[in-house]
Short mmCIF file of all heavy atoms in Angstrom, two decimals:
data_model
loop_
_atom_site.label_atom_id
_atom_site.label_comp_id
_atom_site.label_asym_id
_atom_site.label_seq_id
_atom_site.Cartn_x
_atom_site.Cartn_y
_atom_site.Cartn_z
N MET G 1 -10.54 -47.65 32.11
CA MET G 1 -10.51 -47.20 30.73
C MET G 1 -9.46 -48.01 29.93
O MET G 1 -8.42 -48.34 30.48
CB MET G 1 -10.18 -45.71 30.68
CG MET G 1 -10.16 -45.12 29.27
SD MET G 1 -9.59 -43.42 29.23
CE MET G 1 -11.00 -42.57 29.95
N ASP G 2 -9.74 -48.30 28.74
CA ASP G 2 -8.80 -49.01 27.88
C ASP G 2 -7.63 -48.09 27.55
O ASP G 2 -7.79 -47.07 26.92
CB ASP G 2 -9.55 -49.42 26.61
CG ASP G 2 -8.64 -50.20 25.66
OD1 ASP G 2 -7.43 -50.34 25.98
OD2 ASP G 2 -9.12 -50.65 24.61
N SER G 3 -6.45 -48.51 27.99
CA SER G 3 -5.28 -47.62 27.84
C SER G 3 -4.82 -47.55 26.39
O SER G 3 -3.99 -46.68 26.05
CB SER G 3 -4.15 -48.08 28.74
OG SER G 3 -3.73 -49.37 28.33
N SER G 4 -5.31 -48.43 25.53
CA SER G 4 -4.88 -48.37 24.15
C SER G 4 -5.75 -47.40 23.31
O SER G 4 -5.47 -47.15 22.18
CB SER G 4 -4.88 -49.76 23.50
OG SER G 4 -6.23 -50.21 23.39
N TRP G 5 -6.80 -46.93 23.91
CA TRP G 5 -7.70 -46.03 23.22
C TRP G 5 -7.00 -44.69 22.98
O TRP G 5 -6.33 -44.13 23.87
CB TRP G 5 -8.96 -45.82 24.06
CG TRP G 5 -9.96 -44.91 23.43
CD1 TRP G 5 -10.84 -45.21 22.44
CD2 TRP G 5 -10.18 -43.53 23.76
NE1 TRP G 5 -11.59 -44.10 22.16
CE2 TRP G 5 -11.21 -43.07 22.96
CE3 TRP G 5 -9.61 -42.65 24.70
CZ2 TRP G 5 -11.68 -41.76 23.00
CZ3 TRP G 5 -10.07 -41.36 24.74
CH2 TRP G 5 -11.10 -40.91 23.91
N ARG G 6 -7.16 -44.16 21.78
CA ARG G 6 -6.62 -42.85 21.47
C ARG G 6 -7.72 -42.02 20.82
O ARG G 6 -8.32 -42.48 19.86
CB ARG G 6 -5.46 -42.96 20.48
CG ARG G 6 -4.21 -43.60 21.03
CD ARG G 6 -3.50 -42.70 21.99
NE ARG G 6 -2.26 -43.29 22.47
CZ ARG G 6 -2.17 -44.16 23.49
NH1 ARG G 6 -3.26 -44.55 24.09
NH2 ARG G 6 -1.03 -44.64 23.86
N PRO G 7 -7.96 -40.84 21.36
CA PRO G 7 -8.96 -40.00 20.68
C PRO G 7 -8.45 -39.54 19.31
O PRO G 7 -7.24 -39.27 19.13
CB PRO G 7 -9.13 -38.81 21.64
CG PRO G 7 -7.91 -38.81 22.49
CD PRO G 7 -7.42 -40.23 22.53
N GLU G 8 -9.36 -39.43 18.40
CA GLU G 8 -9.01 -38.98 17.03
C GLU G 8 -9.76 -37.67 16.78
O GLU G 8 -10.90 -37.52 17.18
CB GLU G 8 -9.43 -40.00 15.99
CG GLU G 8 -8.71 -41.31 16.10
CD GLU G 8 -9.24 -42.33 15.11
OE1 GLU G 8 -10.34 -42.12 14.58
OE2 GLU G 8 -8.55 -43.33 14.87
N ARG G 9 -9.11 -36.80 16.11
CA ARG G 9 -9.73 -35.53 15.77
C ARG G 9 -9.43 -35.22 14.30
O ARG G 9 -8.33 -35.46 13.84
CB ARG G 9 -9.12 -34.38 16.60
CG ARG G 9 -9.54 -34.38 18.03
CD ARG G 9 -11.00 -33.98 18.17
NE ARG G 9 -11.37 -33.83 19.57
CZ ARG G 9 -11.02 -32.76 20.29
NH1 ARG G 9 -10.38 -31.76 19.74
NH2 ARG G 9 -11.37 -32.71 21.54
N THR G 10 -10.43 -34.69 13.63
CA THR G 10 -10.18 -34.15 12.33
C THR G 10 -9.75 -32.70 12.48
O THR G 10 -10.47 -31.88 13.05
CB THR G 10 -11.42 -34.24 11.43
OG1 THR G 10 -11.81 -35.59 11.32
CG2 THR G 10 -11.14 -33.71 10.05
N VAL G 11 -8.56 -32.39 12.01
CA VAL G 11 -7.97 -31.06 12.17
C VAL G 11 -7.57 -30.58 10.79
O VAL G 11 -7.50 -31.34 9.82
CB VAL G 11 -6.79 -31.09 13.11
CG1 VAL G 11 -7.21 -31.52 14.54
CG2 VAL G 11 -5.69 -31.99 12.60
N SER G 12 -7.25 -29.27 10.75
CA SER G 12 -6.77 -28.71 9.47
C SER G 12 -5.29 -28.38 9.63
O SER G 12 -4.88 -27.80 10.63
CB SER G 12 -7.54 -27.43 9.14
OG SER G 12 -8.88 -27.75 8.82
N CYS G 13 -4.52 -28.74 8.62
CA CYS G 13 -3.11 -28.43 8.64
C CYS G 13 -2.89 -26.93 8.63
O CYS G 13 -3.49 -26.22 7.82
CB CYS G 13 -2.48 -29.06 7.38
SG CYS G 13 -0.76 -28.57 7.12
N PRO G 14 -2.03 -26.41 9.52
CA PRO G 14 -1.79 -24.95 9.54
C PRO G 14 -0.94 -24.48 8.35
O PRO G 14 -0.79 -23.27 8.16
CB PRO G 14 -1.07 -24.74 10.86
CG PRO G 14 -0.43 -26.05 11.17
CD PRO G 14 -1.36 -27.10 10.61
N TYR G 15 -0.40 -25.41 7.59
CA TYR G 15 0.38 -25.02 6.41
C TYR G 15 -0.48 -25.00 5.16
O TYR G 15 -0.59 -23.97 4.48
CB TYR G 15 1.55 -25.98 6.20
CG TYR G 15 2.59 -25.98 7.27
CD1 TYR G 15 2.45 -26.80 8.37
CD2 TYR G 15 3.70 -25.14 7.21
CE1 TYR G 15 3.43 -26.84 9.37
CE2 TYR G 15 4.64 -25.14 8.21
CZ TYR G 15 4.52 -26.00 9.27
OH TYR G 15 5.46 -25.99 10.28
N CYS G 16 -1.09 -26.16 4.86
CA CYS G 16 -1.80 -26.28 3.59
C CYS G 16 -3.31 -26.20 3.74
O CYS G 16 -4.03 -26.08 2.78
CB CYS G 16 -1.41 -27.59 2.89
SG CYS G 16 -1.98 -29.09 3.73
N GLY G 17 -3.79 -26.25 5.00
CA GLY G 17 -5.23 -26.10 5.25
C GLY G 17 -6.02 -27.34 5.01
O GLY G 17 -7.26 -27.33 5.19
N GLU G 18 -5.42 -28.41 4.60
CA GLU G 18 -6.15 -29.64 4.31
C GLU G 18 -6.57 -30.33 5.61
O GLU G 18 -5.76 -30.42 6.56
CB GLU G 18 -5.30 -30.61 3.48
CG GLU G 18 -5.11 -30.13 2.06
CD GLU G 18 -6.37 -30.18 1.25
OE1 GLU G 18 -7.20 -31.07 1.45
OE2 GLU G 18 -6.58 -29.22 0.46
N PRO G 19 -7.77 -30.84 5.70
CA PRO G 19 -8.19 -31.61 6.87
C PRO G 19 -7.55 -32.99 6.88
O PRO G 19 -7.37 -33.59 5.82
CB PRO G 19 -9.70 -31.69 6.75
CG PRO G 19 -9.97 -31.56 5.30
CD PRO G 19 -8.87 -30.70 4.73
N PHE G 20 -7.20 -33.45 8.06
CA PHE G 20 -6.70 -34.83 8.17
C PHE G 20 -7.00 -35.32 9.57
O PHE G 20 -7.37 -34.56 10.48
CB PHE G 20 -5.20 -34.92 7.89
CG PHE G 20 -4.32 -34.24 8.91
CD1 PHE G 20 -3.78 -34.93 9.94
CD2 PHE G 20 -4.04 -32.88 8.78
CE1 PHE G 20 -2.97 -34.29 10.89
CE2 PHE G 20 -3.24 -32.24 9.71
CZ PHE G 20 -2.71 -32.95 10.78
N LEU G 21 -6.90 -36.65 9.73
CA LEU G 21 -7.25 -37.27 10.99
C LEU G 21 -6.00 -37.33 11.88
O LEU G 21 -5.00 -37.94 11.53
CB LEU G 21 -7.78 -38.67 10.74
CG LEU G 21 -8.46 -39.35 11.95
CD1 LEU G 21 -9.72 -38.60 12.33
CD2 LEU G 21 -8.78 -40.79 11.59
N LEU G 22 -6.08 -36.68 13.02
CA LEU G 22 -4.96 -36.68 13.96
C LEU G 22 -5.32 -37.57 15.14
O LEU G 22 -6.40 -37.43 15.74
CB LEU G 22 -4.72 -35.25 14.46
CG LEU G 22 -3.57 -35.11 15.45
CD1 LEU G 22 -2.24 -35.16 14.70
CD2 LEU G 22 -3.68 -33.81 16.22
N ILE G 23 -4.45 -38.52 15.40
CA ILE G 23 -4.61 -39.39 16.58
C ILE G 23 -3.82 -38.76 17.72
O ILE G 23 -2.63 -38.52 17.60
CB ILE G 23 -4.16 -40.80 16.27
CG1 ILE G 23 -5.02 -41.39 15.13
CG2 ILE G 23 -4.26 -41.66 17.53
CD1 ILE G 23 -4.50 -42.69 14.60
N VAL G 24 -4.49 -38.50 18.82
CA VAL G 24 -3.83 -37.88 19.96
C VAL G 24 -2.93 -38.91 20.62
O VAL G 24 -3.38 -39.92 21.15
CB VAL G 24 -4.84 -37.30 20.97
CG1 VAL G 24 -4.15 -36.72 22.15
CG2 VAL G 24 -5.73 -36.28 20.25
N ASP G 25 -1.65 -38.62 20.59
CA ASP G 25 -0.64 -39.64 20.92
C ASP G 25 -0.08 -39.40 22.31
O ASP G 25 1.10 -39.14 22.48
CB ASP G 25 0.45 -39.60 19.86
CG ASP G 25 1.47 -40.71 20.06
OD1 ASP G 25 1.12 -41.69 20.71
OD2 ASP G 25 2.60 -40.59 19.59
N THR G 26 -0.92 -39.45 23.32
CA THR G 26 -0.41 -39.27 24.67
C THR G 26 -1.38 -39.83 25.72
O THR G 26 -2.59 -39.89 25.47
CB THR G 26 -0.17 -37.79 24.99
OG1 THR G 26 0.30 -37.67 26.31
CG2 THR G 26 -1.47 -36.99 24.87
N ASP G 27 -0.86 -40.24 26.82
CA ASP G 27 -1.68 -40.55 27.99
C ASP G 27 -1.56 -39.44 29.03
O ASP G 27 -2.11 -39.54 30.11
CB ASP G 27 -1.19 -41.85 28.64
CG ASP G 27 -1.49 -43.05 27.71
OD1 ASP G 27 -2.54 -43.01 27.06
OD2 ASP G 27 -0.69 -43.97 27.70
N CYS G 28 -0.76 -38.42 28.73
CA CYS G 28 -0.43 -37.41 29.71
C CYS G 28 -1.41 -36.26 29.68
O CYS G 28 -2.12 -36.04 28.70
CB CYS G 28 0.99 -36.86 29.47
SG CYS G 28 2.22 -38.16 29.42
N ALA G 29 -1.41 -35.47 30.74
CA ALA G 29 -2.25 -34.29 30.79
C ALA G 29 -1.74 -33.20 29.87
O ALA G 29 -2.51 -32.38 29.39
CB ALA G 29 -2.34 -33.76 32.22
N GLU G 30 -0.43 -33.19 29.63
CA GLU G 30 0.15 -32.21 28.75
C GLU G 30 1.20 -32.88 27.88
O GLU G 30 1.99 -33.67 28.37
CB GLU G 30 0.84 -31.08 29.52
CG GLU G 30 -0.10 -30.12 30.16
CD GLU G 30 0.66 -28.87 30.63
OE1 GLU G 30 1.74 -28.61 30.10
OE2 GLU G 30 0.13 -28.18 31.49
N ALA G 31 1.16 -32.57 26.61
CA ALA G 31 2.19 -33.11 25.70
C ALA G 31 2.39 -32.14 24.54
O ALA G 31 1.43 -31.50 24.08
CB ALA G 31 1.76 -34.47 25.21
N ASP G 32 3.59 -32.08 24.08
CA ASP G 32 3.93 -31.32 22.89
C ASP G 32 4.79 -32.20 22.00
O ASP G 32 5.77 -32.75 22.46
CB ASP G 32 4.70 -30.04 23.23
CG ASP G 32 3.86 -29.08 24.06
OD1 ASP G 32 3.04 -28.38 23.46
OD2 ASP G 32 3.99 -29.07 25.28
N TYR G 33 4.37 -32.34 20.77
CA TYR G 33 5.14 -33.15 19.87
C TYR G 33 4.91 -32.65 18.46
O TYR G 33 4.07 -31.78 18.22
CB TYR G 33 4.80 -34.63 20.00
CG TYR G 33 3.37 -34.99 19.78
CD1 TYR G 33 2.92 -35.41 18.55
CD2 TYR G 33 2.45 -34.93 20.83
CE1 TYR G 33 1.59 -35.77 18.33
CE2 TYR G 33 1.12 -35.28 20.62
CZ TYR G 33 0.68 -35.67 19.37
OH TYR G 33 -0.61 -36.04 19.17
N VAL G 34 5.68 -33.20 17.54
CA VAL G 34 5.61 -32.79 16.15
C VAL G 34 5.05 -33.92 15.33
O VAL G 34 5.46 -35.08 15.45
CB VAL G 34 7.00 -32.40 15.62
CG1 VAL G 34 6.93 -32.08 14.12
CG2 VAL G 34 7.54 -31.20 16.38
N GLU G 35 4.04 -33.59 14.54
CA GLU G 35 3.41 -34.57 13.64
C GLU G 35 3.52 -34.04 12.22
O GLU G 35 3.19 -32.89 11.95
CB GLU G 35 1.92 -34.68 14.06
CG GLU G 35 1.12 -35.66 13.27
CD GLU G 35 1.01 -37.01 13.96
OE1 GLU G 35 1.29 -37.08 15.17
OE2 GLU G 35 0.62 -37.97 13.29
N ASP G 36 3.98 -34.89 11.33
CA ASP G 36 4.08 -34.47 9.94
C ASP G 36 2.70 -34.52 9.27
O ASP G 36 1.98 -35.48 9.43
CB ASP G 36 5.04 -35.38 9.16
CG ASP G 36 6.47 -35.14 9.57
OD1 ASP G 36 6.77 -34.09 10.15
OD2 ASP G 36 7.31 -36.02 9.27
N CYS G 37 2.40 -33.44 8.55
CA CYS G 37 1.15 -33.40 7.81
C CYS G 37 1.15 -34.52 6.78
O CYS G 37 2.10 -34.64 6.00
CB CYS G 37 0.99 -32.04 7.13
SG CYS G 37 -0.48 -31.95 6.04
N PRO G 38 0.10 -35.35 6.74
CA PRO G 38 0.04 -36.43 5.73
C PRO G 38 -0.18 -35.92 4.33
O PRO G 38 -0.02 -36.66 3.36
CB PRO G 38 -1.14 -37.29 6.19
CG PRO G 38 -1.98 -36.35 6.98
CD PRO G 38 -1.07 -35.36 7.62
N VAL G 39 -0.56 -34.64 4.17
CA VAL G 39 -0.82 -34.10 2.84
C VAL G 39 0.42 -33.40 2.29
O VAL G 39 0.89 -33.71 1.21
CB VAL G 39 -2.01 -33.12 2.89
CG1 VAL G 39 -2.29 -32.53 1.50
CG2 VAL G 39 -3.24 -33.82 3.45
N CYS G 40 0.98 -32.45 3.06
CA CYS G 40 2.10 -31.68 2.56
C CYS G 40 3.42 -32.01 3.26
O CYS G 40 4.46 -31.43 2.96
CB CYS G 40 1.81 -30.19 2.64
SG CYS G 40 1.75 -29.53 4.33
N CYS G 41 3.38 -32.90 4.25
CA CYS G 41 4.56 -33.39 4.94
C CYS G 41 5.27 -32.32 5.80
O CYS G 41 6.40 -32.54 6.22
CB CYS G 41 5.59 -34.02 3.96
SG CYS G 41 4.92 -35.43 3.10
N ALA G 42 4.61 -31.19 6.05
CA ALA G 42 5.25 -30.18 6.89
C ALA G 42 5.15 -30.59 8.35
O ALA G 42 4.17 -31.24 8.76
CB ALA G 42 4.54 -28.85 6.66
N PRO G 43 6.13 -30.21 9.15
CA PRO G 43 6.09 -30.56 10.58
C PRO G 43 5.16 -29.65 11.36
O PRO G 43 5.40 -28.45 11.45
CB PRO G 43 7.56 -30.39 11.02
CG PRO G 43 8.11 -29.36 10.09
CD PRO G 43 7.37 -29.52 8.78
N ILE G 44 4.11 -30.21 11.92
CA ILE G 44 3.11 -29.44 12.66
C ILE G 44 3.39 -29.66 14.17
O ILE G 44 3.52 -30.77 14.64
CB ILE G 44 1.69 -29.95 12.35
CG1 ILE G 44 1.44 -29.86 10.84
CG2 ILE G 44 0.66 -29.14 13.13
CD1 ILE G 44 0.20 -30.64 10.41
N GLU G 45 3.49 -28.55 14.89
CA GLU G 45 3.63 -28.64 16.34
C GLU G 45 2.27 -28.86 16.96
O GLU G 45 1.35 -28.04 16.79
CB GLU G 45 4.24 -27.34 16.88
CG GLU G 45 5.70 -27.16 16.50
CD GLU G 45 6.33 -25.96 17.18
OE1 GLU G 45 5.64 -25.29 17.98
OE2 GLU G 45 7.49 -25.70 16.89
N VAL G 46 2.12 -29.93 17.67
CA VAL G 46 0.86 -30.29 18.30
C VAL G 46 1.01 -30.11 19.80
O VAL G 46 1.90 -30.68 20.40
CB VAL G 46 0.47 -31.77 17.99
CG1 VAL G 46 -0.87 -32.09 18.65
CG2 VAL G 46 0.40 -31.99 16.49
N ALA G 47 0.14 -29.32 20.38
CA ALA G 47 0.11 -29.13 21.84
C ALA G 47 -1.18 -29.71 22.37
O ALA G 47 -2.25 -29.32 21.95
CB ALA G 47 0.22 -27.65 22.21
N VAL G 48 -1.04 -30.66 23.26
CA VAL G 48 -2.21 -31.34 23.85
C VAL G 48 -2.36 -30.88 25.30
O VAL G 48 -1.39 -30.91 26.05
CB VAL G 48 -2.08 -32.87 23.80
CG1 VAL G 48 -3.30 -33.55 24.35
CG2 VAL G 48 -1.78 -33.35 22.36
N ARG G 49 -3.55 -30.46 25.63
CA ARG G 49 -3.84 -30.13 27.05
C ARG G 49 -5.06 -30.96 27.43
O ARG G 49 -6.12 -30.82 26.85
CB ARG G 49 -4.13 -28.64 27.20
CG ARG G 49 -2.96 -27.76 26.85
CD ARG G 49 -1.82 -27.92 27.82
NE ARG G 49 -0.64 -27.13 27.42
CZ ARG G 49 0.34 -27.61 26.68
NH1 ARG G 49 0.32 -28.85 26.24
NH2 ARG G 49 1.37 -26.85 26.38
N TRP G 50 -4.86 -31.82 28.41
CA TRP G 50 -5.93 -32.75 28.77
C TRP G 50 -6.18 -32.60 30.26
O TRP G 50 -5.59 -33.31 31.08
CB TRP G 50 -5.51 -34.17 28.42
CG TRP G 50 -6.66 -35.11 28.27
CD1 TRP G 50 -7.88 -35.00 28.82
CD2 TRP G 50 -6.67 -36.33 27.52
NE1 TRP G 50 -8.68 -36.06 28.45
CE2 TRP G 50 -7.94 -36.90 27.65
CE3 TRP G 50 -5.70 -36.98 26.74
CZ2 TRP G 50 -8.28 -38.09 27.04
CZ3 TRP G 50 -6.05 -38.17 26.15
CH2 TRP G 50 -7.34 -38.72 26.30
N PRO G 51 -7.08 -31.70 30.64
CA PRO G 51 -7.35 -31.48 32.07
C PRO G 51 -7.87 -32.72 32.71
O PRO G 51 -8.61 -33.49 32.10
CB PRO G 51 -8.41 -30.37 32.08
CG PRO G 51 -8.32 -29.74 30.71
CD PRO G 51 -7.87 -30.81 29.77
N LEU G 52 -7.51 -32.94 33.96
CA LEU G 52 -7.94 -34.08 34.71
C LEU G 52 -9.47 -34.17 34.73
O LEU G 52 -10.13 -33.19 35.05
CB LEU G 52 -7.39 -34.01 36.14
CG LEU G 52 -7.17 -35.35 36.85
CD1 LEU G 52 -6.10 -36.18 36.16
CD2 LEU G 52 -6.78 -35.11 38.30
N GLY G 53 -10.01 -35.30 34.37
CA GLY G 53 -11.46 -35.48 34.41
C GLY G 53 -12.15 -35.12 33.10
O GLY G 53 -13.29 -35.45 32.93
N ALA G 54 -11.42 -34.45 32.21
CA ALA G 54 -12.04 -34.09 30.92
C ALA G 54 -12.09 -35.30 30.04
O ALA G 54 -11.14 -36.10 30.00
CB ALA G 54 -11.26 -32.97 30.25
N GLU G 55 -13.18 -35.46 29.29
CA GLU G 55 -13.29 -36.62 28.42
C GLU G 55 -12.51 -36.45 27.13
O GLU G 55 -12.06 -37.43 26.51
CB GLU G 55 -14.77 -36.88 28.07
CG GLU G 55 -15.56 -37.37 29.26
CD GLU G 55 -16.92 -37.84 28.84
OE1 GLU G 55 -17.17 -38.00 27.62
OE2 GLU G 55 -17.79 -38.03 29.70
N GLU G 56 -12.33 -35.22 26.72
CA GLU G 56 -11.69 -34.94 25.45
C GLU G 56 -10.50 -34.00 25.67
O GLU G 56 -10.60 -33.05 26.46
CB GLU G 56 -12.66 -34.25 24.50
CG GLU G 56 -13.83 -35.11 24.13
CD GLU G 56 -13.53 -36.00 22.93
OE1 GLU G 56 -12.78 -35.58 22.05
OE2 GLU G 56 -14.05 -37.12 22.91
N PRO G 57 -9.38 -34.26 25.01
CA PRO G 57 -8.28 -33.34 25.11
C PRO G 57 -8.50 -32.09 24.27
O PRO G 57 -9.27 -32.11 23.31
CB PRO G 57 -7.11 -34.14 24.55
CG PRO G 57 -7.76 -35.05 23.57
CD PRO G 57 -9.12 -35.39 24.12
N GLU G 58 -7.82 -31.02 24.64
CA GLU G 58 -7.80 -29.81 23.80
C GLU G 58 -6.52 -29.86 22.98
O GLU G 58 -5.45 -30.15 23.48
CB GLU G 58 -7.78 -28.54 24.70
CG GLU G 58 -9.05 -28.38 25.49
CD GLU G 58 -8.95 -27.17 26.40
OE1 GLU G 58 -8.02 -26.37 26.22
OE2 GLU G 58 -9.81 -27.05 27.28
N LEU G 59 -6.69 -29.54 21.72
CA LEU G 59 -5.56 -29.56 20.80
C LEU G 59 -5.31 -28.17 20.25
O LEU G 59 -6.23 -27.44 19.96
CB LEU G 59 -5.85 -30.50 19.61
CG LEU G 59 -6.03 -31.97 19.90
CD1 LEU G 59 -6.29 -32.71 18.61
CD2 LEU G 59 -4.83 -32.53 20.60
N ALA G 60 -4.00 -27.87 20.11
CA ALA G 60 -3.64 -26.66 19.44
C ALA G 60 -2.55 -27.02 18.42
O ALA G 60 -1.59 -27.69 18.76
CB ALA G 60 -3.14 -25.60 20.42
N LEU G 61 -2.76 -26.59 17.19
CA LEU G 61 -1.78 -26.87 16.12
C LEU G 61 -1.12 -25.57 15.70
O LEU G 61 -1.75 -24.55 15.53
CB LEU G 61 -2.48 -27.50 14.90
CG LEU G 61 -2.64 -29.02 14.90
CD1 LEU G 61 -3.42 -29.50 16.11
CD2 LEU G 61 -3.31 -29.44 13.63
N ARG G 62 0.21 -25.68 15.57
CA ARG G 62 0.97 -24.50 15.17
C ARG G 62 1.98 -24.90 14.13
O ARG G 62 2.48 -26.00 14.10
CB ARG G 62 1.70 -23.92 16.38
CG ARG G 62 0.82 -23.30 17.40
CD ARG G 62 1.64 -22.46 18.33
NE ARG G 62 3.08 -22.78 18.24
CZ ARG G 62 4.01 -22.14 18.89
NH1 ARG G 62 3.71 -21.17 19.68
NH2 ARG G 62 5.29 -22.49 18.76
N ARG G 63 2.31 -23.90 13.33
CA ARG G 63 3.44 -24.07 12.39
C ARG G 63 4.73 -23.96 13.19
O ARG G 63 4.86 -23.14 14.08
CB ARG G 63 3.41 -23.00 11.32
CG ARG G 63 2.17 -23.02 10.49
CD ARG G 63 2.08 -21.77 9.63
NE ARG G 63 3.22 -21.66 8.75
CZ ARG G 63 3.13 -21.48 7.42
NH1 ARG G 63 1.96 -21.41 6.86
NH2 ARG G 63 4.23 -21.36 6.71
N GLY G 64 5.69 -24.78 12.87
CA GLY G 64 6.97 -24.74 13.56
C GLY G 64 7.83 -23.59 13.12
O GLY G 64 8.83 -23.29 13.76
N ASP G 65 7.49 -22.91 12.03
CA ASP G 65 8.35 -21.86 11.51
C ASP G 65 7.87 -20.47 11.87
O ASP G 65 8.34 -19.48 11.34
CB ASP G 65 8.50 -22.00 9.99
CG ASP G 65 7.16 -21.85 9.26
OD1 ASP G 65 6.12 -21.71 9.94
OD2 ASP G 65 7.16 -21.93 8.02
N GLU G 66 6.91 -20.36 12.78
CA GLU G 66 6.41 -19.03 13.17
C GLU G 66 7.15 -18.54 14.41
O GLU G 66 7.57 -19.31 15.24
CB GLU G 66 4.93 -19.10 13.47
CG GLU G 66 4.11 -19.09 12.20
CD GLU G 66 2.60 -19.18 12.47
OE1 GLU G 66 2.19 -19.57 13.57
OE2 GLU G 66 1.84 -18.84 11.56
ZN1 ZN V 101 -0.33 -29.78 5.24
#
């Protein structure tokens, strides 16, 4: 597999609700990081769960202030 490939997902910001394109920024099975919303600039907590053998990662987006 091309290691530079990153899956992209259209997601909705948990703050402003606007859809935007999120590039999954990990090669790991599990990752948690913060991505700023490109629309409202709020810090979104992104949790990636990528089970071994799965073609697509599971994403969960949360507000950091909850
Ligand atoms: Zn937003």
Side-chain angles (χ1 to χ4, degrees):
M1 181 186 288
D2 181 356
S3 63
S4 68
W5 180 80
R6 293 286 184 276
E8 296 175 343
R9 288 288 187 79
T10 301
V11 297
S12 292
C13 172
Y15 295 89
C16 67
E18 290 293 323
F20 68 93
L21 192 65
L22 181 77
I23 298 170
V24 178
D25 186 21
T26 180
D27 293 324
C28 304
E30 285 193 22
D32 295 280
Y33 57 95
V34 175
E35 181 97 15
D36 288 342
C37 174
V39 180
C40 69
C41 299
I44 304 166
E45 290 186 2
V46 181
V48 182
R49 297 293 175 267
W50 201 336
L52 207 64
E55 290 190 13
E56 297 273 326
E58 296 177 11
L59 296 181
L61 271 59
R62 292 195 342 176
R63 299 168 61 127
D65 61 358
E66 282 179 340

